[in-house]
Amino acid sequence: MMTDLRGFHFAQASDPQRISLYLMSRGWVPREEQGGTLWISHDESYEVLVPGNRGMRGYESHIRNLFKTLSAAEGRSESQISLEVSIADADVQYVCTAPEADPGTTPIEEGVQAFESLRQWVLSGAVAESAGQVRLVQPARKPTRALEFMRNVRLGPTFEGSYILTVYIPIPPKIGQTELSLDHPQINVLRQPFERRVSLKLMAATRGAIDAADEVIQRREGIEAFTRRAGEGVNANLCEALSGFASRGGGESRIDFSWALSRPVERTDPIRLNRDHMVILRQAAQEMRAAEPEDDVTVVGAVVRLHREGASGPGEVSIAGIIEDGTNERLRRVWLELAEEAYSRATRAHQDGATVSVAGSLVRRGNRYYLQNPSGFAVLPDPP
C-alpha cells in the first residue's frame, strides 16, 4: 500500500492533458500562448499557464504553483484538486470493503479475496458488454475484446476509511473536443466508447443484483429475481464477485463510481452491500450455475475413482484436478461418464498414476460438479 497518496496523485495530475480537461470542466477558457496554453477563470480573476509538455525546465515547480492558484480560486485544498485532476481521463470505481481492522488495513486473506473479486467484477462487466448473448453463466472462454480491455485497466492505490480499493478505466476523449457537456449515464449508450459502456454496465448490473437480493429478502422471491435481470448483466460471475467484497465481522460495503471528465455524466449515488446481500448473492450464483452449464472448460488432473456396473460398457469417472477456462484455474473434483474405450484408458491412467485431460460443459448439482458432453479424453505424457 502506498503511503504518500498526494505524491502519487501529483504524478498523475501533472499531465498537461488531464489539467486541461479539469480546467475545461470548471469553465476556464483557453488561449494559446507560446510554450503552452493560458487558461482564464470564468470570472477572469485568475489565470494559469499549462505548459505544452513535461520537458519544460522547472516543469514540476511550475505545476505546483498552478495547483496553488487553483486552490486559491476554488477555496479547496491542493490535494483534493490533485486527486480530481489525476482521474480526469478515467472512470474510477471505489470499492470500500469495510473489514474489521485498523483503518487502512485488512486481514491478508480477506484482502486477497477482495482483489480477486475486484478483477472478476470488472471482467464480468467487460464480458457482458462484449458478448453476443445473455447468459446466466458467462462463457469459460472470454471474448477477445473483453480480454484486450482488461489489459488496459489499472489498479489505483488503496485508501484509508476502512479499506478502499480503486480501479482505473481509461476513457478516450471525444475527437476534436473543445467543450464538455453533461450527459445522463443512460443516454446515448451506444455512442459511448466500449470502455465507458463497460463502466455503465458494471453500475447497472450491480444495482440490478442488489435490487434482486432485496426482493428475495423482502418479498421472499426465488432465483427468478436474478434471472429476469440477466439482460442487465446480472449473472453468476457478477454475483460471485460482489459476494467476495464481504468481510468477516465487518460493516456495510460500498461501491462509488467516478466518471471521467473527458466524458462527464450526472453524479450517481453509491451502491451499498450489507451482509444479507452477500449471502443471497452467493446462493444466487450457485443456483444460476446449477441451472446453466459452463461451456468450453478443460479438466486436467488424476483419475481418483472409477465405477461401472459390468465388465464392459461405459462407466463413471471422477477426476481431481484443475479446471481451465481460458482466464482462471480452479481446483475441483469433477464427475463424468466415459464411453467404453475412454473408460479403459482412464482405468490404465488410474493404475499408472498418469495425468489426464478432458473437455466439456461444467454443471453443478448440489455439492458435486459434473462434466457434460465430455470430449477429447487423453492421457498426458509424463513431463521430461
Side-chain angles (χ1 to χ4, degrees), residues 17-18 20-25 84-85 87-91 169-183 192-193 195-196 258-265:
Q17 182 176 356
R18 291 190 178 104
S20 297
L21 279 171
Y22 177 82
L23 292 171
M24 193 186 306
S25 73
E84 292 185 22
V85 174
I87 59 175
D89 58 351
D91 287 345
I169 299 177
I171 304 296
K174 297 177 182 177
I175 297 175
Q177 185 174 35
T178 57
E179 62 180 19
L180 299 176
S181 57
L182 194 65
D183 293 327
Q192 299 279 10
E195 294 85 352
R196 168 55 59 79
S258 173
W259 306 98
L261 295 179
S262 55
R263 291 177 180 268
V265 298

Side-chain angles (χ1 to χ4, degrees), residues 284-330:
Q286 292 177 359
E287 291 192 35
M288 282 187 279
R289 286 197 178 277
E292 183 169 316
E294 184 177 355
D295 296 330
D296 300 322
V297 303
T298 300
V299 181
V300 178
V303 177
V304 294
R305 185 172 178 179
L306 301 111
H307 173 76
R308 67 179 174 186
E309 295 300 328
S312 61
E316 188 178 57
V317 172
S318 176
I319 299 174
I322 295 173
I323 297 175
E324 301 173 346
D325 61 13
T327 57
N328 302 301
E329 293 185 350
R330 293 161 284 163

